[in-house]
């Protein structure tokens, strides 16, 4: 392959060509940055917003690289992933591991601009990002590990901004985990038939015929916890700004109700609008109260 072909393959490996996944990690990270500073009655600094945004982008890419390394012998047997660059031989396993290491180091370099205690919390994030892709071989709950890996930026943002993670920071983390398990279950529903054939585990398989109901319950819990968090940080009217999310989740239900592969994938992708909307509401509430 020439250089351009390798570059395109590398962008596919790190999913820089698919920004939806990046946004699903980016926006909740920024929720936490803004809400942690709301605790202090102020807006976050531009520096912290940029640091955590760049860290989210780099760590998502690193997670995708190590995920494809872990699944390099499985992806070729799954309809949706058979054309990934490791599965079809365009890139080597060594390239994926090297990409993971370099991206993690680049992300780690951002820690020099944050309080030193954030470094210790970041070790958990790296460990979770590394082990997540291998969990689907040992447990039906890899989506929970993914949620913890993606969501660990939330306590890190609180530590960076306030020096500790209080009850509300952990509540935000739990809310985010509920939402992530819900949307990643929708993602896993796309591959359930193939996963059963190759022996890969997921919450979609674990939940079985209750999958749609459990996804709806998780989304409802997420919305309830987010409403509680907003009620704590802002005046009473602010939490009502989250009400339109009910419509977003009802729309997702209509997509996954019949468990059709492409509709489930469309529902997964639709969650980016949930992330965008909560981020918009968070920024508006913070600017209104502390700007």
């Amino acid at each position: 392959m020439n250089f351009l072909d390798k570059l395109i393959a590398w962008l596919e490996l790190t999913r820089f060509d698919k920004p939806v996944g990046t946004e699903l990690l980016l926006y909740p990270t920024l929720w936490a940055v803004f809400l942690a500073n709301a605790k202090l009655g102020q807006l976050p600094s531009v520096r912290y917003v940029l640091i955590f945004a760049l860290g989210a982008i780099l760590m998502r890419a690193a997670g995708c690289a190590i995920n494809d390394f872990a699944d390099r012998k499985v992806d070729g047997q799954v309809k949706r992933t058979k054309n990934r660059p490791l599965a079809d031989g365009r890139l080597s396993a060594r390239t994926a591991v090297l990409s993971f290491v370099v991206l993690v180091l680049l992300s780690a370099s951002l820690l020099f601009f944050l309080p030193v205690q954030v470094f210790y919390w970041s070790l958990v994030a790296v460990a979770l990002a590394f082990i997540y892709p291998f969990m689907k071989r040992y447990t039906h709950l890899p989506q929970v590990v993914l949620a913890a890996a993606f969501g660990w930026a939330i306590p890190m943002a609180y530590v960076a901004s306030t020096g500790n993670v209080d009850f509300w920071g952990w509540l935000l983390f739990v809310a985010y985990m509920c939402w992530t398990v819900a949307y990643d279950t929708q993602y896993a529903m796309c591959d359930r038939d193939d996963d059963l054939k190759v022996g890969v585990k997921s919450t979609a398989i674990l939940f079985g015929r209750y999958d749609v109901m459990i996804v709806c319950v998780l989304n409802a819990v997420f919305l309830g916890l987010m409403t509680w968090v907003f009620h704590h940080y802002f005046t009473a009217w602010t939490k009502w700004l989250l009400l339109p999310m009910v419509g977003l989740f009802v729309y997702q239900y209509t997509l996954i109700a019949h468990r059709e592969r492409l509709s489930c994938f469309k529902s997964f992708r639709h969650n980016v609008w949930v992330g965008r909307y909560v981020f918009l509401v968070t920024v508006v509430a913070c600017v209104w109260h502390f700007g």
Side-chain angles (χ1 to χ4, degrees):
M1 289 195 304
N2 58 37
F3 173 78
L4 181 58
D5 290 335
K6 288 185 178 181
L7 176 61
I8 292 173
W10 185 81
L11 292 174
E12 292 176 11
L13 171 73
T14 53
R15 309 295 194 276
F16 280 121
D17 64 323
K18 296 179 179 178
V20 167
T22 300
E23 289 188 70
L24 288 172
L25 175 55
L26 172 63
Y27 291 125
T29 299
L30 297 182
W31 304 346
V33 174
F34 275 85
L35 291 174
N37 281 272
K39 173 184 175 181
L40 304 175
Q42 64 186 26
L43 294 175
S45 68
V46 174
R47 181 167 66 97
Y48 269 26
V49 170
L50 292 176
I51 288 171
F52 275 95
L54 186 55
I57 293 168
L58 291 171
M59 284 304 297
R60 191 262 176 165
C64 290
I66 200 64
N67 179 79
D68 281 15
F69 169 77
D71 289 346
R72 64 192 185 280
K73 296 181 180 179
V74 174
D75 281 344
Q77 304 174 57
V78 178
K79 299 181 186 72
R80 186 179 52 81
T81 61
K82 63 182 180 180
N83 293 321
R84 285 180 175 174
L86 265 64
D88 64 14
R90 284 179 291 154
L91 293 179
S92 67
R94 179 182 178 183
T95 299
V97 173
L98 182 61
S99 296
F100 172 77
V101 172
V102 171
L103 289 165
V104 167
L105 290 176
L106 286 173
S107 182
S109 69
L110 299 172
L111 295 170
F112 288 108
F113 304 99
L114 296 172
V116 66
Q117 60 263 41
V118 182
F119 168 76
Y120 302 107
W121 287 76
S122 71
L123 298 177
V124 178
V126 174
L128 288 170
F130 180 79
I131 67 172
Y132 153 69
F134 302 95
M135 289 297 98
K136 64 187 72 175
R137 289 155 179 75
Y138 306 104
T139 175
H140 280 94
L141 298 172
Q143 282 70 28
V144 175
V145 182
L146 172 71
F150 274 18
W152 202 250
I154 292 174
M156 287 177 61
Y158 270 78
V159 171
S161 301
T162 69
N164 63 80
V165 191
D166 62 5
F167 171 79
W168 300 103
W170 286 119
L171 195 67
L172 180 63
F173 176 73
V174 172
Y176 172 77
M177 286 194 64
C178 289
W179 177 50
T180 305
V181 172
Y183 73 62
D184 206 46
T185 298
Q186 295 172 353
Y187 191 65
M189 288 166 69
C190 304
D191 301 331
R192 177 159 40 198
D193 294 343
D194 290 328
D195 288 346
L196 286 168
K197 292 176 183 176
V198 300
V200 172
K201 299 177 174 63
S202 72
T203 48
I205 295 173
L206 176 66
F207 296 158
R209 62 192 180 94
Y210 299 106
D211 51 359
V212 174
M213 180 186 70
I214 293 175
V215 166
C216 292
V217 169
L218 288 170
N219 282 333
V221 173
F222 164 67
L223 180 55
L225 293 180
M226 290 301 297
T227 301
W228 192 10
V229 169
F230 268 67
H231 181 76
H232 168 72
Y233 283 117
F234 309 114
T235 50
W237 67 267
T238 310
K239 65 178 181 290
W240 295 108
L241 293 175
L242 296 174
L243 191 60
M245 290 170 58
V246 174
L248 297 178
F249 288 137
V250 168
Y251 173 67
Q252 289 183 20
Y253 167 76
T254 66
L255 290 174
I256 65 174
H258 300 292
R259 301 176 177 84
E260 196 275 324
R261 181 190 295 267
L262 293 180
S263 294
C264 289
F265 187 66
K266 184 177 181 180
S267 182
F268 159 73
R269 289 175 58 86
H270 181 263
N271 279 280
V272 73
W273 289 103
V274 176
R276 289 168 180 169
Y277 184 75
V278 175
F279 176 63
L280 175 63
V281 171
T282 302
V283 172
V284 168
C286 286
V287 171
W288 179 271
H289 289 86
F290 312 119

